[in-house]
Amino acid sequence: DSGVTQTPKHLITATGQRVTLRCSPRSGDLSVYWYQQSLDQGLQFLIQYYNGEERAKGNILERFSAQQFPDLHSELNLSSLELGDSALYFCASSAGTGSLYEQYFGPGTRLTVT
Amino acid sequence: AQSVTQLGSHVSVSEGALVLLRCNYSSSVPPYLFWYVQYPNQGLQLLLKYTSAATLVKGINGFEAEFKKSETSFHLTKPSAHMSDAAEYFCAVSYAGTALIFGKGTTLSVSS
């Protein structure tokens, strides 16, 4: 158990809909990262927040957005969903920001868009 | 653009045999390098990381990896495979920033 929790575990929704994925980092961790894992694209970094502020952006679509709240939990919002958005979405957290800080991964949320 | 290449999407070994999973990175500057393992229906767990200290890095579960700058490689090895090692393994790189760039992954199968 990494200490990172993600809800829900599974999500099935229809094209065009909007969903919110939630992540609670390990106690004391200030950084939260979101990754997408799909069969065709592999594991891709989406976005990072550090202590409530956006820190880095990767291959995140404009239809996707995220935020980190004062209690440090984070939410990833996916809108106008397409079939290709079906993937496993991971959240990771680390104590600080920088490559020396180990990222701890949650169990993921499996999103299926039908 | 920085990238990571894992040679072999699937590696099969017998229990007790040497495990060798290959990873090459593309970079003109020294990176930080990581190996992660993913068991079915679970998140990723860090096996080991290279951060420019010793070139031979020892990790958990008997795994180790050697950083070879001349070959831009960071191959993962384990002297003797165990059934419980069957999983997917990801090599990742980070360059002074925070985002991890992952390879496509290698699925390790271990047969008895």
Side-chain angles (χ1 to χ4, degrees), chain A residues 37 48 90 97-100 103, chain B residues 32 38 43 46 49 94 97-98:
Chain A
Q37 185 178 32
Q48 181 209 358
F90 286 110
T97 184
S99 302
L100 291 177
Q103 294 185 29
Chain B
Y32 295 105
Q38 184 180 25
L46 181 67
K49 64 182 179 183
S94 175
T98 60

Side-chain angles (χ1 to χ4, degrees), chain B residues 4-5 9-11 22 27 29 39 44-45 56 61 63 71 74 85 88 93 98 106 109:
Chain B
V4 176
T5 302
S9 59
H10 201 123
V11 170
R22 300 175 189 274
S27 173
V29 297
Y39 297 102
L44 283 76
Q45 181 184 10
L56 183 62
N61 302 337
F63 284 94
E71 299 176 8
F74 190 57
D85 295 327
E88 188 157 20
V93 64
T98 60
T106 298
S109 300

